[in-house]
Amino acid sequence: MISPDTVLQDVRYGFRMLLRQRGFTVVAVLALGIGIAVNTAVFTAYKAMIARQLDARHPGEMVNLGLIRHSGATDPKFSYPDYAAYRDEVHSFSGVLAFHNEQLRLTGAGGVISQRRSTADSIMGRLGAIPSGASNAEFANVYAVSANYFRVMGVGTIRGRTFESLMPDELVHSPSVLISENYWQRRFGRDPAILGKTVRLNAVSVQIIGITPHDFVGTGIAAADYWLPLSLEPLVHADDKWLQDRTNQCCQLFARLAPGAGIQQAESEMTVVANRLRTLNDPHSELFKPVTALVWPGSPFPLPLKDYHGLMLTVILVMLAAAMLLIVACANVGSLQLARARSREHEMLTRLSLGASRGRIVRQLLTESALLGLMAGCVGLALAWAFLHTAIAVHAQLVPAEFSSLVFNVNPDPEIFAYVFATSLVAGILFGTAPAVETSRFAIASGDRSGTASFRTRAIQNLLVTAQVALSLALMIAASMLIRSANRSLHMETGYDAKHVIDIDLQFPESSRLTPARKLDEVGQLRSRLTAIPDVAAVTTSAHAPADLGFRTAATGLDHGKSSLLHYTYVQRNYFATLGIPILFGNGFPSEAASGRSVILSESAAERIWPGQNPIGRSLRLGQLDEHSHAANELVPDSGAWQVIGVARDTRGAEFDGSDSAQVYLPLSDAQIANRPILIRTHSDPAPVLKKIDALVSSVDAQITANSSTLNEMLRRSAPFITATLAAAIASSVGLLGLLLALMGIYGTVNYIVVLRTREVGIRMAIGAQKRDVLWLILRESTRPVLAGLVVGMLFGGGCSYLLRGVLYGLKTVDTISFIGMATLFLLIALLAAYPPSRRATRIDPIVALRYE
């Protein structure tokens, strides 16, 4: 049995040995610390961004509420009447709250801080990576919440009071809001007289009555600008029925479990109430069909994490890359440990002669490795903490103020400390086991000191170098493919003029003064003034910009009954000419009166429905897949027959797989252009036209806000493009770190080999070997495991590219440039790393080497 005194003795001796060989210790701790730092940073970021709990007192008691619809989809949204029912009737909850996030126009706060100006001041805004927003209005990030929100969350205000302290009549007749301390500091400079100040949200005067704590995000992920009681939503949206309408699925619901209640009990009780409430809806709607309640641990994500398949796959791939980097670091330090073992031969023989067993020696060596791992863990934790805090600070400078309110807690907690401790200990044992066993075996078997390493030691050392090279090359291949994919996606052929077409999204004030006729008139005036700009070639309108992902529908050819899922959008007659999309055969839409029930198909849509046939003159039906998925003002085709009159060239949108190329275009009448994006095409650089848009919009109606950008910029802000760019950045960073660690391992290993083979080299040179022969010998032997690693790494790279195939654009699974290019680059750099110690071997004096021990 191992006594505590023996363990303490091993620890003290291990520390002395590590301090004696400071050079090795520093290199090993740094190499392993980098691997642990990356893993710690990934784990911390996952906790802070993905697996974060709600910002509440005793967050483990908080749960999310949702319904599993008849279709099997999870629906996290509820109407306000349904919220009131769950709040009053489900006794498994000690409290139920409602939450709704929105952007409201802000006035009366002292000047206007426009989104465009805020964006222009940020680095990412100058790079065009985020939308510029409107320049003639200021918007606030508003969390609309039920009156009991702060009580259920268990959080109060740092100044003032919450909504629950007000009487119900006061909430409506004396509109009040809270602000966050973050916003109080950013927008009002911590004005001490802020309580009682009146501002206007969507032209409704509200009084600030309290300030929430710094960085309090509640059920979101960002510190809100304003907290608004849900009872004021009818006022700010000029809709008296906003709270009473059961079809207005406005809110997410969160609850706190009652003492002794569990999730299953809450689900059962909630399901009973849900199936009673559904009968109050239209019998023909999706909301009327049977449902099952779903309750899961509290999270700001509206759906359970398991439902975000793409997100979880990304997390797994990132964690896998970090784990591969840690293995590279372990193999790196393991090879250095193994190379160092021969320098401790006398020590091991002395310990054996004094009566130490082989197990005792192995335990001592593993203790040193564990100490090395724990020291590296401390370094890794510090590096990860510094990196994440720097990243958060840089993020605040990169993005506009309205985006910098995102709150991520990356401070170490007991879970992170435990993770780092376990990772460090496992890593220490992982890289120390083979050297410890081999060192003890070699010490026992060694009867002489010949100055050459054993075949077994070299084989293990070569295996470790091979593992480093293989994993590092696989990471580099993945990084190269993601970088090339991201670059290709940025230059993707869209099939339309994305660089010279500007999308203008108009937002009308939520006020009853603007009737549909008035909106249509103002849009007509704006289009006329846009057309008058000299550099504008054409103006059109569509229900969706090409860079947006449209809704899907089932399209059925009447003559053979074949159905297919297609995208559809409504467009004006001049849409194709404005965007430069040719009609390949057939005709475009005729006059508005003659367009009737005609449609135009894209090439891929026509081929999908009628492969190898002429679709002109044929008919199809368009039916919705899910009526509930469409917005209230969304144009939806009926299920009658539509006649195909033309086929347009395919276009590409945000999806890399081209799935949004199969399009059905329907005619948009002039009476339907209000509230739809306006598309204008310029003759040359669109920048001068973009600068004139805001003034033109204000000249028509100062209350209208306009968000404008080119279609090219919209594509780059879409989720697939952002995902591809982030994946390339993460993979390239991890790949470069893997390359650095592998090269450190190769250099250190070759350096130790040269030291250990000093006597052998001296003998070779004494019997006539030339310097070039010695140089070639060392380089050849050090290159063999590198070449083996390159072969294995290319196989691993093939597996990585297969896993990444869903996010790669324009590349084959085996990309020749990435595979051959990275392997060649790695080989050249590896030779450069091995050259200095190999060159040093040629300078050995044979007379000195023959006396070397």
Side-chain angles (χ1 to χ4, degrees), residues 165 233 250 312 437 453 503 520 579 584 793 849:
S165 65
E233 289 288 70
C250 61
M312 297 314 295
V437 172
D503 173 87
L520 188 61
L579 270 69
L584 300 180

Side-chain angles (χ1 to χ4, degrees), residues 182-498:
N182 304 55
Y183 186 71
W184 177 37
Q185 178 177 349
R186 186 178 77 241
R187 184 65 176 83
F188 297 104
R190 302 185 71 86
D191 178 6
I194 191 65
L195 295 184
K197 181 179 177 63
T198 298
V199 297
R200 288 186 294 277
L201 295 174
N202 273 18
V204 175
S205 295
V206 293
Q207 186 181 58
I208 299 172
I209 64 169
I211 304 173
T212 59
H214 184 72
D215 280 352
F216 174 64
V217 298
T219 48
I221 61 172
D225 296 339
Y226 293 91
W227 301 83
L228 178 80
L230 276 169
S231 57
L232 294 184
E233 289 288 70
L235 286 177
V236 297
H237 293 293
D239 182 0
D240 294 337
K241 298 181 179 179
W242 200 95
L243 292 178
Q244 288 76 35
D245 186 1
R246 288 190 177 277
T247 63
N248 180 18
Q249 306 289 296
C250 61
C251 306
Q252 289 178 246
L253 300 190
F254 301 85
R256 185 178 291 277
L257 291 172
I263 285 181
Q264 291 185 343
Q265 177 185 343
E267 283 182 343
S268 300
E269 192 174 350
M270 187 178 165
T271 298
V272 175
V273 178
N275 280 298
R276 179 183 64 80
L277 294 175
R278 71 176 177 81
T279 61
L280 303 177
N281 294 290
D282 181 357
H284 301 290
S285 72
E286 177 74 12
L287 299 176
F288 183 81
K289 297 177 181 178
V291 295
T292 302
L294 180 64
V295 179
W296 67 95
S299 165
F301 284 82
L303 297 175
L305 289 180
K306 62 181 179 61
D307 289 354
Y308 296 94
H309 304 294
L311 174 64
M312 297 314 295
L313 176 61
T314 302
V315 170
I316 291 172
L317 291 177
V318 171
M319 288 186 170
L320 180 61
M324 290 171 65
L325 185 67
L326 181 59
I327 294 174
V328 171
C330 289
N332 183 320
V333 179
S335 63
L336 293 178
Q337 284 270 63
L338 200 59
R340 189 179 66 123
R342 280 304 300 270
S343 65
R344 303 184 66 179
E345 178 187 348
H346 286 293
E347 174 197 344
M348 297 298 112
L349 288 173
T350 301
R351 291 171 66 87
L352 285 171
S353 65
L354 292 175
S357 65
R358 183 181 181 186
R360 182 74 175 80
I361 291 177
V362 169
R363 193 175 76 224
Q364 173 62 52
L365 294 174
L366 284 179
T367 300
E368 291 181 22
S369 298
L371 288 174
L372 203 59
L374 293 175
M375 292 167 63
C378 295
V379 172
L381 181 62
L383 289 175
W385 182 88
F387 169 76
L388 291 172
H389 277 268
T390 302
I392 290 175
V394 171
H395 170 266
Q397 300 298 321
L398 286 176
V399 302
E402 59 265 25
F403 292 99
S404 64
S405 59
L406 294 173
V407 175
F408 302 111
N409 180 17
V410 294
N411 292 320
D413 58 20
E415 274 190 27
I416 293 174
F417 280 117
Y419 176 83
V420 173
F421 177 79
T423 302
S424 304
L425 203 58
V426 170
I429 295 174
L430 182 64
F431 74 73
T433 300
V437 172
E438 182 62 17
T439 300
S440 65
R441 187 203 65 80
F442 184 77
I444 292 175
S446 181
D448 65 283
R449 294 187 287 274
S450 60
T452 60
S454 70
F455 174 79
R456 177 188 173 96
T457 302
R458 291 187 188 182
I460 296 176
Q461 205 163 41
N462 289 343
L463 181 62
L464 291 174
V465 172
T466 298
Q468 294 178 65
V469 173
L471 294 176
S472 300
L473 179 62
L475 291 172
M476 289 180 62
I477 288 174
S480 173
M481 294 187 71
L482 287 168
I483 292 172
R484 282 170 44 76
S485 171
N487 183 62
R488 286 187 174 229
S489 68
L490 292 175
H491 300 89
M492 179 177 69
E493 177 57 46
T494 60
Y496 54 85
D497 190 353

Side-chain angles (χ1 to χ4, degrees), residues 21 24-25 46 50 67 104 117 296 346 377 413 432 464 523 536 590 687 697 762 765 837 846:
Q21 297 179 316
F24 164 80
T25 302
Y46 172 74
I50 310 299
L67 296 176
L104 298 180
R117 191 177 79 194
W296 67 95
H346 286 293
D413 58 20
L464 291 174
V523 170
V536 171
V697 172
M765 296 185 71

Side-chain angles (χ1 to χ4, degrees), residues 743 746 779-780 782-783 786 825-838:
L743 296 182
I746 292 170
L779 282 178
R780 185 176 66 247
S782 61
T783 304
V786 174
L825 176 64
F826 202 111
L827 178 60
L828 292 175
I829 297 178
L831 288 173
L832 288 176
Y835 181 79
S838 301

